[in-house]
Amino acid sequence: MGKSQKKRSMRRHNPMRVPDSHLPKGLESAESSSTKKEAIMPIIQKMESPDGAERKWACVAVSNLIQNDPSTRRLLQGKNVVGSLITRLSDSEEEVWIEAAGALRNLCIDGGYDICAEMYNKNILAPLTAFVPKISTALSQFLESPKTAPENAQKVVYEFADNVITILWCLSETSNKALSAINQINLIPFLMSFLASRDKLPISTVTAAAQSLYVLTDDNQAAIDEVRSNAAYNSCLLEIVRSDELAQNGKGKDVSKDRFAMLKVLCCGITGNVSPPPPHSAASTLDVNKDFVLPLLQPVISSVSLDEAAQQVQELVTRQENDPPEIEKLSLKNTPKSDHKSPTQLDLERLEDRLRTVQLALEILTGTCATLPDPVIDTANDDNDDDDELEDENTDMDDDTNEDDMALDDAVPPPTNAKSSSVALLPALVQPLLALIRPTSLSFPPPSSPSAHPPTTSALSAIHISAFECLNNIFLSLSTSPSAELAANEDAGRAVWAEIWASLSKVGLDIARGQERKQEIWEIAVGVLWGIGNIWKGKLVPNEEQVQILINICDSSTDAQVRVKCIGTLECLAQHPDSIDANRVIASYLLSVLPTATAPSTKGTEPTIQALSALIDIYSDERLPYDVNFRNGKFNERLMESVDGVRKAVRAIDRRKERDLKLRGEEVRDNLVAFIKYRRGLRF
């Protein structure tokens, strides 16, 4: 049972802010689906114009054209707009390279990994690296002598810094190669300087710096060590997390509550990334999770109603339809700025920011819950050679076996001590998370009716997935640190189980092109169901439709871990004492997973091991009502037929590559032999 870790794929720019997986591949399809294809060639031509005004116009036009328009973005990509914009970063005219940076930033956020990878491969880091010291110098001058430059000039520098930082943030998530290159730029002092001067700078620029720091300190030891070793950095982060509001002076006067909430959440995430704090620092005596993460993030994930947000977006989109499109305003005489937005667009962005803050909080909580107790596997006696370990494989099946020595119940490993009360976690986190997994009208629009606002759809689906991942970690932690009080609360277990399935029924199983995130939800959800099933094993009444869905997912998935989770969940359902028919259906399916002496399992080695473990666990007590299925179905004979195939499968596991699986396989193999003997020795 694996926990969901923080994943780079869950960041803002990937999944794409404006998803395009529903579109057919290729330039021809992009051209046929773009409503702005006539504007493409003039833009590409003017990008190379000797006239600086035309080059600036072209950069601005790119930003305006790609807004919520994946097909036009693809068409521009096909015309090498990325290469052209990178060239413009070295333009002789300041206004051109400023607008080029804005266009590249928007492409990063809207386009995801593919565009970021293209930028990296086309050496965007060279001009970006040169910009960092220039921005630092300008920033120092403005902070030391604000009157030395007009406010307009300061605004330009701050917006440019925002664009450069955001591009670096997106690139750092593209690949380990890009991250390593960015580590060489020495960005940490640069980024921390924005946080240190947060009360004198625009909140958007400070937040961009915090977002970049959050990404750079995520499982990146070089950045973690640099932040952790600097007491001033730690104090600064601590101050932001603890503060109730940003100083209302200077650039802080226009700070919105939502923007500041995002900044606090990001700093909370950075603090978690670099924990534990260095000795003798202000935070060294604090428990980061207990004192910061949970108290700050619990209110954040409860702060928004997704249904209300979706309704507000629908209303704003309807209002926006009356606004003239930006492309019609484009002209050399009246060039709009790349950051020009109508009041309706700003309202939509504020809503999206609020949703992205919730998503970020969920991502951090998922990482926090991943640090809760894991099962401990005893590997003290694993150093024997394979030949020695398999000496007992030729044991005569008729030998006497002491049933008291049998390890029959190996479904849930021995628990460790929980750091927090497991019961207390339920009301604090689970209920808000259950609200966040429920799809809205904008979460998964059908391909025949594209989203009214793709960025909101992307944010909503990301929230659903992050909430499921967080639930997965919570219930896994609870199941590996059993609480008698929790297990006894059967009504709570059934209620949570019903809530999960109610949300999944709204997600649906009709997964068309462009709806791949539905598939992702189902694959995470089976882990949640397994965790719940383990806590309330034997207390959940199996539903025929739900059982069949789990079987279908197990059959259709090519991911061994998904299959294991499905089998684990089915095992828990099969142990409801009075559900004899459901038990028979599940057991028959689990038996079908097993190999024979001549044919390996079609489901793979790890699912096979899980199915065997499940069958042993289900039928370890012959006094249960459903045991009649084992006897009448002659399951023991089928298990005997699988022994040779199981031995072959376990022998084939490479200890050097899959050590834990090898140990698990050997344990289950031995349990199978002992279990068959035990069952054969029973007299009814």
Side-chain angles (χ1 to χ4, degrees):
M1 225 193 285
K3 287 184 179 177
S4 300
Q5 303 293 341
K6 288 189 297 182
K7 292 190 288 188
R8 297 185 184 278
S9 61
M10 293 305 298
R11 306 279 193 233
R12 173 181 175 124
H13 71 284
N14 193 2
M16 292 181 188
R17 181 172 178 266
V18 188
D20 65 2
S21 59
H22 62 288
L23 296 173
K25 302 297 182 185
L27 279 179
E28 188 176 337
S29 63
E31 191 166 354
S32 64
S33 56
S34 172
T35 58
K36 304 168 186 173
K37 58 185 177 184
E38 301 301 327
I40 301 295
M41 285 315 297
I43 289 173
I44 298 301
Q45 290 166 357
K46 286 182 170 57
M47 195 81 72
E48 308 297 330
S49 170
D51 186 339
E54 291 193 346
R55 297 197 301 275
K56 176 188 173 184
W57 178 91
C59 295
V60 173
V62 171
S63 288
N64 284 278
L65 255 66
I66 66 168
Q67 193 171 75
N68 297 347
D69 190 344
S71 56
T72 300
R73 184 188 68 229
R74 281 190 181 185
L75 200 54
L76 281 163
Q77 275 182 268
K79 303 297 183 183
N80 191 33
V81 71
V82 169
S84 297
L85 287 168
I86 292 174
T87 301
R88 296 279 71 79
L89 289 177
S90 304
D91 199 277
S92 57
E93 297 198 20
E94 181 181 276
E95 287 190 345
V96 176
W97 47 259
I98 287 174
E99 294 298 349
L104 286 163
R105 170 201 183 271
N106 292 345
L107 280 167
C108 273
I109 290 179
D110 271 10
Y113 281 168
D114 287 345
I115 283 184
C116 292
E118 183 183 351
M119 290 181 188
Y120 175 75
N121 291 334
K122 291 181 177 176
N123 200 27
I124 192 175
L125 283 181
L128 292 184
T129 302
F131 287 140
V132 169
K134 293 179 181 178
I135 294 171
S136 290
T137 301
L139 181 67
S140 298
Q141 290 173 350
F142 293 161
L143 293 177
E144 290 171 10
S145 310
K147 296 180 181 179
T148 57
E151 189 167 336
N152 237 17
Q154 294 184 43
K155 184 172 183 290
V156 168
V157 171
Y158 295 143
E159 288 176 356
F160 181 67
D162 188 334
N163 291 335
V164 170
I165 291 168
T166 302
I167 296 169
L168 288 168
W169 142 36
C170 294
L171 288 173
S172 66
E173 297 182 294
T174 303
S175 66
N176 288 331
K177 188 185 293 185
L179 179 62
S180 296
I182 289 170
N183 278 340
Q184 304 305 312
I185 302 177
N186 194 28
L187 275 183
I188 302 299
F190 172 70
L191 297 171
M192 282 301 310
S193 68
F194 287 88
L195 271 64
S197 304
R198 59 194 176 278
D199 57 336
K200 301 173 184 176
L201 300 172
I203 187 66
S204 60
T205 310
V206 177
T207 303
Q211 178 72 73
S212 189
L213 270 168
Y214 173 59
V215 172
L216 284 173
T217 55
D218 180 12
D219 197 26
N220 178 19
Q221 201 58 47
I224 290 171
D225 290 343
E226 187 168 359
V227 175
R228 184 185 284 159
S229 62
N230 191 305
Y233 294 169
N234 285 273
S235 296
C236 176
L237 293 167
L238 202 58
E239 287 171 10
I240 297 174
V241 172
R242 284 175 160 171
S243 60
D244 292 327
E245 58 182 11
L246 200 58
Q248 296 298 301
N249 62 345
K251 299 293 179 181
K253 62 186 178 182
D254 60 347
V255 174
S256 72
K257 183 180 177 182
D258 293 334
R259 285 280 192 170
F260 186 52
M262 170 68 89
L263 178 61
K264 287 187 67 172
V265 170
L266 284 165
C267 290
C268 181
I270 298 165
T271 303
N273 286 347
V274 303
S275 66
H280 312 302
S281 70
S284 61
T285 59
L286 301 172
D287 182 323
V288 171
N289 289 338
K290 179 183 174 184
D291 297 325
F292 294 130
V293 177
L294 293 175
L296 175 63
L297 301 188
Q298 285 174 14
V300 173
I301 67 171
S302 306
S303 66
V304 64
S305 163
L306 299 188
D307 282 326
E308 288 179 10
Q311 184 178 348
Q312 287 178 312
V313 167
Q314 295 275 24
E315 292 169 358
L316 287 168
V317 169
T318 301
R319 187 194 310 169
Q320 189 180 32
E321 288 173 356
N322 299 321
D323 296 340
E326 286 299 314
I327 187 61
E328 293 180 7
K329 298 179 182 179
L330 285 174
S331 69
L332 287 175
K333 294 181 179 178
N334 183 27
T335 305
K337 292 183 179 179
S338 57
D339 64 345
H340 173 77
K341 296 178 179 71
S342 69
T344 304
Q345 288 173 320
L346 292 172
D347 286 342
L348 285 167
E349 280 200 359
R350 275 189 284 270
L351 267 172
E352 186 188 351
D353 284 343
R354 196 174 305 164
L355 294 174
R356 294 294 181 183
T357 301
V358 172
Q359 180 200 345
L360 177 65
L362 289 169
E363 180 184 300
I364 296 168
L365 280 173
T366 297
T368 299
C369 293
T371 65
L372 293 175
D374 264 332
V376 176
I377 299 174
D378 183 9
T379 58
N381 300 315
D382 67 332
D383 293 325
N384 299 324
D385 292 332
D386 283 357
D387 290 339
D388 295 333
E389 291 160 350
L390 296 176
E391 279 179 356
D392 62 346
E393 287 190 353
N394 295 320
T395 302
D396 189 338
M397 297 289 286
D398 291 323
D399 287 350
D400 292 332
T401 301
N402 182 353
E403 63 186 80
D404 292 332
D405 293 335
M406 291 168 54
L408 298 181
D409 186 8
D410 60 312
V412 181
T416 58
N417 293 325
K419 294 179 183 177
S420 308
S421 167
S422 57
V423 179
L425 276 173
L426 280 174
L429 287 177
V430 173
Q431 287 305 318
L433 291 170
L434 290 175
L436 295 176
I437 64 173
R438 295 173 197 143
T440 72
S441 57
L442 280 178
S443 298
F444 304 105
S448 58
S449 179
S451 172
H453 191 245
T456 298
T457 291
S458 175
L460 287 169
S461 61
I463 285 173
H464 300 323
I465 287 174
S466 295
F468 267 113
E469 289 188 318
C470 201
L471 284 168
N472 177 77
N473 287 0
I474 287 173
F475 284 115
L476 176 56
S477 293
L478 295 180
S479 69
T480 54
S481 301
S483 158
E485 181 183 356
L486 182 61
N489 192 347
E490 297 178 22
D491 289 341
R494 294 189 186 107
V496 172
W497 181 267
E499 282 270 11
I500 299 290
W501 278 103
S503 292
L504 289 173
S505 68
K506 288 186 176 180
V507 173
L509 285 160
D510 51 331
I511 302 169
R513 182 189 287 272
Q515 295 185 313
E516 292 81 6
R517 309 226 75 196
K518 284 187 177 184
Q519 182 73 32
E520 197 172 344
I521 283 180
W522 276 102
E523 291 178 351
I524 299 166
V526 291
V528 180
L529 294 170
W530 190 11
I532 297 169
N534 264 318
I535 296 168
W536 290 283
K537 187 179 288 186
K539 312 292 177 59
L540 303 171
V541 181
N543 171 288
E544 183 180 348
E545 182 184 6
Q546 293 171 4
V547 167
Q548 193 55 53
I549 287 173
L550 289 167
I551 289 173
N552 291 344
I553 293 173
C554 189
D555 283 340
S556 61
S557 178
T558 57
D559 187 325
Q561 289 303 308
V562 172
R563 288 174 169 173
V564 166
K565 293 173 188 177
C566 289
I567 291 168
T569 309
L570 289 167
E571 170 196 341
C572 298
L573 291 176
Q575 294 187 56
H576 186 259
D578 300 322
S579 299
I580 296 174
D581 288 343
N583 174 278
R584 182 175 61 253
V585 170
I586 293 171
S588 297
Y589 178 71
L590 296 179
L591 287 167
S592 75
V593 172
L594 304 185
T596 65
T598 57
S601 170
T602 59
K603 296 295 186 288
T605 301
E606 192 169 0
T608 299
I609 292 170
Q610 186 63 42
L612 275 171
S613 173
L615 286 162
I616 294 170
D617 197 34
I618 293 166
Y619 294 111
S620 61
D621 187 347
E622 68 277 4
R623 298 165 297 179
L624 290 168
Y626 57 66
D627 197 72
V628 64
N629 292 327
F630 190 93
R631 300 190 298 272
N632 292 348
K634 299 182 178 180
F635 291 173
N636 213 39
E637 293 180 13
R638 176 66 184 90
L639 290 174
M640 289 178 64
E641 293 172 4
S642 72
V643 172
D644 285 344
V646 171
R647 286 174 173 165
K648 290 177 184 176
V650 172
R651 191 181 297 118
I653 301 172
D654 188 334
R655 176 180 297 280
R656 290 165 298 182
K657 295 180 180 178
E658 298 179 289
R659 182 168 172 268
D660 289 344
L661 182 60
K662 183 79 169 181
L663 292 171
R664 171 96 168 131
E666 290 166 349
E667 179 187 14
V668 172
R669 174 203 63 201
D670 294 345
N671 284 349
L672 172 63
V673 173
F675 180 75
I676 291 171
K677 292 178 182 178
Y678 168 69
R679 290 296 312 206
R680 196 163 63 180
L682 292 176
R683 299 291 180 264
F684 292 96

